[in-house]
Amino acid sequence: MGGGVFKERFVEHSLSSFLAFLKDALLSEEVSLRRGFAQSLDPRIKILSFSFLIVAVLFSKSIPVLFCLYSLSIALACVSGIGLFFFLKRTWVFIPLFSLFIALPVLSGNFSPGEKLFALNLGHAAITVTREGVYVFVLFILRIAAMVSFAVLLNITTRHFSLLKALRVFKVPQAFVMVMGICYRYIYLFIGIIENALLSVKSRVGMVRNYKTGQRVAGWNIASLWIRSCRLSEEVYAAMLSRGYCGEPVLEESFRVKLKDWIWLLFTGGVLACGIKFSL
Amino acid sequence: MRDKVFSLKEVYFSYLGRFPALCGIDAEILSGQKVAVVGANGSGKSTFLSLLDGLIFADKGEVRFLGRELNGRAFSDDNFLRDFRRKVGFVFQNPEVQLFCPTIKEDILFGPLQLGLDKAKTESCLERVSEMLGIGGLFERSPHQLSIGEKRKAALASVLVMDPEVLILDEPTAGLDPSTSRNIIDLLLDESSAGKTVVISTHDLHVVEEVAEEVYVLGQDRRVASCGKMRDILSDAALLAANNLTHIHSHRHGALSHTHSHLHCEQKGCRDGGLNKKG
Ligand SMILES: Nc1ncnc2c1ncn2[C@@H]1O[C@H](COP(=O)(O)OP(=O)(O)OP(=O)(O)O)[C@@H](O)[C@H]1O
Ligand SMILES: [Mg+2]
């Protein structure tokens, strides 16, 4: 058995486990049903306060401050019944996605001129790493990490329908909220379709044997997936209409702001104010 | 005289204006009637039922619900919309699309919540339905963790719990185990004897025989090939065979094997449509 086959198996395996992960990461509501601090906040207050924190992160320019904010997000996760390892895994998956391509250039001397730490010699192009470059890089990564952490926290501790409803309170247009609501279902269906398509290809041809046929199957799939998923989302919408949906979800529980919510909002407002003050 | 719940006159419908699905359908469904729509794959059953539920509108001809024409204008009237959704429940052929909430329980309660139905009544209805379908244990699960049959049951429950006056079901028993199918048939009969109007589509002539009093056969030409009383339709072997509704059985008795078309019903004269011996 050649290395190529091994590689294909590996790709296939990692693709399906990635899909499973994605489904879980985006759609599981399990965390939002646990009892914990973040879950107990009123969704409207939660959206507002987490926006405060994210803006504070955007403004702060010092590593210690960012470090504190990042620690705050981890502490929040811990008091919300989320395991530390689970949370780190969940957030750090997205961090490279956001950061790497933007952050790498600033490492090099071209963008951050300063004291030379060491130089990588890559044939014609030498990359000089400077102390300032490293500083900016760490700052950048920390900032992304803190932002992603807060965003993930907000997402996994709030039920999707509550989130949608709370958005309406902030005068986000109804059409937009509706589309988001459908998107949520749609992602799930879409991942399901990809999974099934993968399985059906596997059951028919054993596995994607060579690059050429693999490419053809993939090309065909993407086109048909697109059509199929459009059709499904239409049907989902029809199913919602059929049961009396008129564009705005009606929730069972009504939102109630408690004293705890106000204190928390005040605290995050304070963090934001400090963040802005120190950055100016 | 019973009210006409639905009346269709010369209804045409095509998808995207290019793929004709219904070409001139006439039908009349009376209040309290039990109606089955049968036909081969692609004959337009689902399209027909979607028209009844006001999810699509006729290109030509008219569909009326209790005398009022179903079209875009009618549904832009909020009162009518609410009233119609309250009175008519539709179970989709693909249960997948009908479950869009995080948990099954929320999905089932979605309709009553949207329509602002009475809480206590909904609760008791929920209890009855979930016991009947045996899905009490699934309430906290999320839709993507269920088998297809379980999804179908949940989708059914989500409509039954609204307690609509008109029940439209697109292949309600497809892919369900025999005892659940049985329960669903019983449930439909119960609803019907309580005065509900029941419209189902199916390929299963057993179900037709038990549930329906009126049968519409949709032909390959996407028109009503025949309609009438259940007994008359089920005893018309040629009609059923022409619409892919019977299948050929082949079995072996010792060295002798023979095939015959097999009708799934118990009436006289519809057994062993064409017997031919081989070997
Ligand atoms: N979204 C669509 N776009 C284009 N054509 C469609 C679409 N949906 C259905 N059709 C076509 O309309 C016709 C009727 O379809 P319909 O789904 O009503 O059949 P059906 O009787 O329910 O079949 P089945 O027994 O397989 O469920 C078919 O020929 C089908 O190809
Ligand atoms: Mg159908």
Side-chain angles (χ1 to χ4, degrees):
Chain A
M1 189 178 282
V5 173
F6 172 74
K7 209 164 100 196
E8 279 160 12
R9 281 242 169 99
F10 175 75
V11 167
E12 187 183 286
H13 174 75
S14 52
L15 190 58
S16 51
S17 62
F18 176 71
L19 288 174
F21 170 79
L22 203 65
K23 198 146 102 178
D24 196 45
L26 293 169
L27 307 167
S28 162
E29 295 238 321
E30 188 215 342
V31 171
S32 66
L33 294 172
R34 289 184 203 159
R35 290 186 176 278
F37 176 73
Q39 289 90 335
S40 72
L41 291 170
D42 179 283
R44 290 166 298 177
I45 298 286
K46 198 162 22 171
I47 290 182
L48 208 59
S49 59
F50 276 69
S51 322
F52 283 177
L53 291 171
I54 289 173
V55 175
V57 169
L58 275 174
F59 268 100
S60 52
K61 286 189 181 132
S62 85
I63 286 182
V65 171
L66 279 174
F67 189 75
C68 286
L69 284 169
Y70 184 55
S71 311
L72 176 66
S73 75
I74 288 180
L76 263 176
C78 290
V79 296
S80 304
I82 302 166
L84 186 62
F85 180 67
F86 172 85
F87 186 65
L88 290 180
K89 203 171 78 180
R90 198 43 71 84
T91 47
W92 281 91
V93 166
F94 292 108
I95 290 168
L97 225 71
F98 284 93
S99 53
L100 248 139
F101 291 101
I102 315 170
L104 274 180
V106 300
L107 260 178
S108 71
N110 303 353
F111 293 90
S112 314
E115 186 189 331
K116 185 166 152 183
L117 271 185
F118 57 88
L120 292 173
N121 210 334
L122 303 170
H124 341 276
I127 297 181
T128 319
V129 176
T130 62
R131 183 179 292 280
E132 282 72 11
V134 170
Y135 181 81
V136 170
F137 180 75
V138 172
L139 194 75
F140 191 86
I141 291 288
L142 257 178
R143 185 177 284 161
I144 300 259
M147 254 163 39
V148 169
S149 295
F150 283 126
V152 166
L153 208 55
L154 174 65
N155 185 35
I156 65 177
T157 61
T158 319
R159 322 209 52 190
H160 283 94
F161 271 167
S162 306
L163 205 60
L164 292 181
K165 179 142 192 229
L167 282 177
R168 283 290 291 146
V169 178
F170 297 110
K171 302 267 180 271
V172 176
Q174 179 181 325
F176 182 76
V177 173
M178 201 173 80
V179 168
M180 272 184 60
I182 292 173
C183 270
Y184 158 73
R185 257 306 287 180
Y186 176 75
I187 293 171
Y188 154 59
L189 286 173
F190 195 67
I191 294 175
I193 293 175
I194 299 179
E195 269 178 342
N196 283 338
L198 215 66
L199 279 180
S200 80
V201 168
K202 200 165 144 183
S203 80
R204 271 178 287 182
V205 295
M207 71 177 78
V208 184
R209 273 219 183 273
N210 69 35
Y211 181 66
K212 267 271 162 54
T213 50
Q215 216 176 22
R216 206 171 55 228
V217 170
W220 172 81
N221 265 341
I222 286 166
S224 86
L225 280 181
W226 171 247
I227 296 166
R228 241 193 298 179
S229 60
C230 284
R231 194 132 157 225
L232 266 177
S233 65
E234 259 167 41
E235 270 185 66
V236 170
Y237 184 55
M240 293 174 87
L241 287 181
S242 167
R243 280 194 278 156
Y245 182 75
C246 311
E248 192 144 3
V250 181
L251 283 192
E252 185 157 25
E253 80 259 57
S254 49
F255 295 155
R256 220 174 27 156
V257 183
K258 299 156 297 238
L259 182 62
K260 182 167 75 178
D261 292 307
W262 288 121
I263 295 175
W264 170 248
L265 188 65
L266 217 62
F267 170 70
T268 54
V271 170
L272 176 62
C274 291
I276 293 176
K277 187 154 181 284
F278 283 120
S279 71
L280 295 179
Chain B
M1 205 191 95
R2 297 197 281 190
D3 290 339
K4 279 184 210 165
V5 180
F6 289 107
S7 65
L8 286 79
K9 268 204 207 86
E10 275 294 299
V11 171
Y12 284 80
F13 180 84
S14 59
Y15 286 95
L16 310 170
R18 276 185 293 145
F19 307 103
L22 297 175
C23 305
I25 298 276
D26 288 294
E28 210 156 79
I29 295 171
L30 304 181
S31 162
Q33 230 172 14
K34 295 174 284 185
V35 178
V37 180
V38 297
N41 290 129
S43 57
K45 300 182 295 298
S46 302
T47 311
F48 180 78
L49 298 185
S50 305
L51 269 171
L52 297 187
D53 195 39
L55 297 172
I56 51 179
F57 304 123
D59 295 340
K60 235 176 20 180
E62 56 177 37
V63 183
R64 285 179 182 275
F65 171 74
L66 295 176
R68 179 150 183 185
E69 191 174 349
L70 297 182
N71 52 23
R73 250 222 342 277
F75 280 97
S76 59
D77 171 1
D78 261 359
N79 287 328
F80 175 75
L81 178 89
R82 202 159 272 278
D83 188 53
F84 182 83
R85 295 290 173 225
R86 169 81 194 77
K87 282 186 179 148
V88 183
F90 183 36
V91 181
F92 284 69
Q93 182 171 10
N94 178 1
E96 196 85 45
V97 305
Q98 213 170 351
L99 304 171
F100 38 75
C101 294
T103 64
I104 295 300
K105 179 151 189 198
E106 277 167 284
D107 246 315
I108 295 177
L109 292 177
F110 180 86
L113 212 56
Q114 296 299 315
L115 294 165
L117 303 188
D118 180 53
K119 272 229 174 83
K121 204 173 145 225
T122 306
E123 278 296 324
S124 73
C125 215
L126 178 66
E127 216 161 278
R128 188 173 63 91
V129 169
S130 74
E131 195 188 329
M132 197 83 159
L133 297 172
I135 52 168
L138 305 176
F139 279 179
E140 297 309 321
R141 303 261 286 276
S142 96
H144 60 268
Q145 297 165 336
L146 301 187
S147 78
I148 295 181
E150 287 169 332
K151 278 182 206 168
R152 189 175 293 283
K153 290 193 224 174
L156 234 136
S158 74
V159 169
L160 289 176
V161 79
M162 289 160 39
D163 201 20
E165 286 167 28
V166 182
L167 268 170
I168 304 175
L169 305 102
D170 201 348
E171 306 204 6
T173 57
L176 293 181
D177 58 54
S179 105
T180 309
S181 301
R182 187 68 248 164
N183 280 349
I184 288 175
I185 292 173
D186 289 342
L187 201 140
L188 292 180
L189 292 176
D190 274 0
E191 297 285 325
S192 166
S193 55
K196 307 269 165 73
T197 311
V198 177
V199 184
I200 63 168
S201 83
T202 184
H203 300 286
D204 189 342
L205 298 182
H206 279 303
V207 177
V208 174
E209 190 190 13
E210 294 208 56
V211 176
E213 50 186 20
E214 293 287 320
V215 179
Y216 285 85
V217 183
L218 296 186
Q220 310 278 19
D221 59 352
R222 310 199 156 89
R223 300 166 136 269
V224 178
S226 175
C227 76
K229 294 276 171 243
M230 181 267 288
R231 304 255 152 222
D232 303 335
I233 299 279
L234 286 191
S235 51
D236 189 346
L239 173 73
L240 295 180
N243 288 290
N244 291 9
L245 292 165
T246 48
H247 57 194
I248 308 292
H249 257 326
S250 158
H251 25 195
R252 193 164 257 291
H253 307 291
L256 190 76
S257 99
H258 72 151
T259 58
H260 59 86
S261 73
H262 177 96
L263 304 182
H264 286 269
C265 59
E266 304 303 325
Q267 271 108 44
K268 264 208 211 100
C270 71
R271 274 188 165 263
D272 293 18
L275 191 72
N276 57 61
K277 287 195 181 179
K278 263 198 315 197

